[in-house]
Amino acid sequence: MCGATAGGLSLDGIDVAKEAIIQGVVTKSGEPASPAYVRLLDRTGEFTAEVPTSATGQFRFFAGPGEWTVRVLAPQSDAVDRTVTAQTGVVAELEVEI
Amino acid sequence: MSRENSLVTAQWVEEHLDDPKIVLVEVDEDTSAYDKGHIKGAIKLDWTTDLQDQVRRDFVNKQQFEELLSSRGVANDDTVVLYGGNNNWFAAYAYWYFTLYGHSDVKLLDGGRKKWELDSRELVDEVPQRDATSYTAQEQDASIRAFRDETVEAIGTKNLVDVRSPDEYAGRLLAPAHLPQEQAQRAGHIPTAANVPWSKAANDDGTFRSDEELKEIYTEAGVDWDKDTIAYCRIGERSSHTWFVLKELLGQQNVKNYDGSWTEYGSLVGVPVTLGDEAGDA
């Protein structure tokens, strides 16, 4: 709900062919997880960005090509990490259950 | 300054929610975040409309800042407690901004809105009504704000601290990865700048690390504590977070925030730029 736009920016007006997008949905017991925070860590584990999930549990990043880690933080849950590969012009989709 | 004077915990805020001389102020990158729920009694400042001149790229002037705080019901002797999303990036920016205009008692909520939410503390929809005040600001404190010429002259002489992510520093990304990457300016960093991402100073929940840990992080990255320091990022908000760490938590003298940051520097004609992970030569 907070800080950066919930769920990540809309793709309206964005040239998707030039972006390496990582997006997905976070669920808890099958329901959308919100509030939850999704951080994007680079290949060395360093923070690169963070967004809160939308009311529907969704998130989106505009990364660069390469290997990334997505880390999900939520109240009363342990952090969950997922690795993902991003490519320019491709939308990488993730489903994370916490 | 010190941690005791400049930082408060979520617990402290919860215990002071009904104190009329403490004004909670939410500042977010997503300026609609407040409208979807906020800490009880908190007012909102919109960093794009309230804190920026609407024509030139600059801050509102002293008189406009006075009018803003007067109309929102903030008095000179109020304790202003700032918080926000994105690990307090824009709240730290507002903290630096209030300090720039000489507000005497300003604090940051450790961990900001994220910590508050992860603690499952209450958010409300009710917007408080505060009586108008007659706020008087000071002239901008030039000792904490760096402009471009001073930043160019600092290459190889002062500490330059680039607080963006390693990929932005190296030129592999042009913006934090929650934003699209198509940008006008060149990629890279200011030669000789050390890369100490703002996030090194924070725990996952957004709270600041201990003074000992912080001192070690900047020392290891090559910050010379005997030199003056200029921090920068992309638009000056993450570097406000690092300015807060160096100046307010660690008490370093002569730390400036370069709010023009990479969106200005990376668009300048003729200045040196370094690409890649190395700091580069002067």
Side-chain angles (χ1 to χ4, degrees):
Chain A
M1 290 230 307
C2 90
T5 305
L9 283 189
S10 129
L11 292 178
D12 293 349
I14 292 170
D15 187 350
V16 177
K18 293 181 179 173
E19 304 283 349
I21 292 171
I22 298 169
Q23 65 183 31
V25 62
V26 181
T27 53
K28 187 172 186 175
S29 309
E31 298 294 319
S34 181
Y37 293 83
V38 186
R39 352 186 86 192
L40 185 68
L41 310 177
D42 71 16
R43 66 204 179 290
T44 70
E46 189 55 61
F47 176 100
T48 305
E50 181 177 284
V51 293
T53 54
S54 68
T56 51
Q58 285 164 305
F59 64 90
R60 175 176 294 130
F61 295 110
F62 301 88
E67 299 290 325
W68 299 87
T69 298
V70 167
R71 174 171 296 168
V72 178
L73 307 172
Q76 285 109 42
S77 297
D78 293 330
V80 175
D81 285 3
R82 288 290 190 81
T83 55
V84 59
T85 302
Q87 273 180 271
T88 303
V90 175
V91 178
E93 293 274 1
L94 279 180
E95 286 178 30
V96 185
E97 169 76 14
I98 56 171
Chain B
M1 289 303 282
S2 67
R3 188 170 286 251
E4 292 70 36
N5 296 331
S6 52
L7 201 60
V8 291
T9 63
Q11 187 60 37
W12 185 93
V13 168
E14 194 156 299
E15 288 163 6
H16 290 82
L17 285 178
D18 297 315
D19 186 333
K21 294 307 286 176
I22 294 173
V23 187
L24 283 165
V25 182
E26 176 159 344
V27 190
D28 289 302
E29 178 176 20
D30 171 12
T31 56
S32 68
Y34 173 93
D35 308 326
K36 300 170 197 153
H38 46 265
I39 300 178
K40 184 185 158 203
I43 62 170
K44 165 188 175 178
L45 284 182
D46 182 323
W47 72 276
T48 56
T49 55
D50 292 330
L51 300 179
Q52 308 285 330
D53 186 284
Q54 294 301 296
V55 179
R56 305 181 306 141
R57 181 176 175 188
D58 204 348
F59 300 152
V60 297
N61 65 29
K62 175 174 175 289
Q63 185 195 339
Q64 291 169 306
F65 188 67
E66 289 172 339
E67 288 167 2
L68 172 70
L69 293 196
S70 298
S71 69
R72 302 295 168 86
V74 180
N76 282 86
D77 61 350
D78 282 341
T79 297
V80 170
V81 177
L82 293 151
Y83 75 96
N86 279 38
N87 300 278
N88 270 338
W89 289 359
F90 286 79
Y93 172 79
Y95 181 106
W96 171 74
Y97 201 112
F98 271 75
T99 307
L100 191 71
Y101 275 124
H103 192 84
S104 57
D105 191 6
V106 54
K107 299 178 192 300
L108 205 54
L109 164 56
D110 200 12
R113 186 169 165 139
K114 179 169 69 173
K115 170 71 174 157
W116 191 271
E117 285 192 355
L118 290 176
D119 286 351
S120 302
R121 296 180 195 269
E122 185 188 27
L123 296 173
V124 303
D125 293 328
E126 186 189 353
V127 176
Q129 296 299 320
R130 298 186 64 87
D131 294 335
T133 63
S134 181
Y135 190 91
T136 307
Q138 308 296 311
E139 293 298 334
Q140 279 192 23
D141 179 357
S143 74
I144 63 170
R145 187 181 188 194
F147 292 94
R148 62 170 184 259
D149 291 349
E150 181 181 2
T151 305
V152 173
E153 284 165 16
I155 295 171
T157 62
K158 293 180 180 173
N159 296 313
L160 283 166
V161 180
D162 185 321
V163 316
R164 296 174 299 163
S165 63
D167 280 334
E168 292 174 83
Y169 176 86
R172 293 185 288 268
L173 290 181
L174 273 159
H178 66 282
L179 299 173
Q181 296 299 313
E182 254 195 295
Q183 307 280 334
Q185 71 271 9
R186 296 305 175 110
H189 60 267
I190 304 176
T192 74
N195 183 210
V196 192
W198 72 273
S199 51
K200 296 253 189 229
N203 300 304
D204 274 4
D205 66 6
T207 57
F208 289 101
R209 294 187 188 280
S210 72
D211 289 355
E212 295 70 34
E213 289 173 310
L214 293 171
K215 187 102 185 173
E216 192 180 330
I217 287 163
Y218 293 96
T219 303
E220 267 185 17
V223 169
D224 181 342
W225 300 96
D226 294 328
K227 285 185 178 175
D228 295 351
T229 299
I230 296 174
Y232 74 93
C233 58
R234 188 178 71 100
I235 57 173
E237 85 299 8
R238 284 174 284 177
S239 47
S240 297
H241 187 278
T242 295
W243 173 87
F244 180 87
V245 170
L246 295 173
K247 178 86 175 175
E248 305 294 83
L249 297 184
L250 297 181
Q252 196 195 1
Q253 299 297 307
N254 301 325
V255 187
K256 292 187 177 186
N257 181 29
Y258 170 37
D259 57 277
S261 273
W262 195 256
T263 52
E264 176 176 69
Y265 191 96
S267 301
L268 291 175
V269 175
V271 295
V273 170
T274 301
L275 281 171
D277 296 305
E278 299 303 319
D281 298 323

